[in-house]
Amino acid sequence: MLYVKRDAWGNLEQVEAAPFEGMDGEIAADSQEAQAWYANQAVESSLLKLQQSDLDMIRVLEDLITVLIRKGVVRITDLPEAAQSKLVGRSKARDALGGLQRLINDDESGLI
């Protein structure tokens, strides 16, 4: 048995294995509604992980471009104007926040 809370339209808002404050019903764990809830939660979780991965990759690409520019492999002017503008804008935002070092997580060793 699962314990649930529903919205005003009867849609599941919360599903838990144990009773919780604010619950307003129960459903069978093997019900189609419960299975659909958990499938939807799995999809949402995957989407959130993918979104976070995208944000992480943006940082990796930004750092890679910075390294290539510093090594003289590419010049910022080799990039389209829109990319130049975005890179300069992010660089200014980082500088305003105290540079790269404050933005690197403790578990990261630094730039790639």
Side-chain angles (χ1 to χ4, degrees), residues 13-104:
E13 278 188 337
Q14 185 176 351
V15 177
E16 301 289 339
F20 61 92
E21 188 173 328
M23 66 175 239
D24 55 18
E26 300 175 359
I27 59 173
D30 61 350
S31 71
Q32 186 175 8
E33 189 177 27
Q35 291 174 7
W37 166 267
Y38 284 117
N40 186 47
Q41 294 303 303
V43 168
E44 286 184 25
S45 176
S46 293
L47 287 172
L48 287 173
K49 287 177 185 175
L50 186 58
Q51 184 179 33
Q52 183 58 50
S53 174
D54 288 349
L55 294 173
D56 294 342
M57 283 305 301
I58 289 168
R59 176 63 190 268
V60 168
L61 291 173
E62 182 182 351
D63 290 344
L64 176 62
I65 292 166
T66 300
V67 168
L68 293 173
I69 290 171
R70 286 183 182 157
K71 290 186 175 263
V73 176
V74 296
R75 294 173 298 195
I76 195 161
T77 55
D78 293 338
L79 302 171
E81 284 186 35
Q84 291 177 40
S85 176
K86 289 175 184 170
L87 286 169
V88 168
R90 286 190 52 86
S91 177
K92 287 179 181 178
R94 280 186 179 184
D95 288 344
L97 291 172
L100 292 176
Q101 296 307 319
R102 286 189 53 199
L103 294 180
I104 297 175

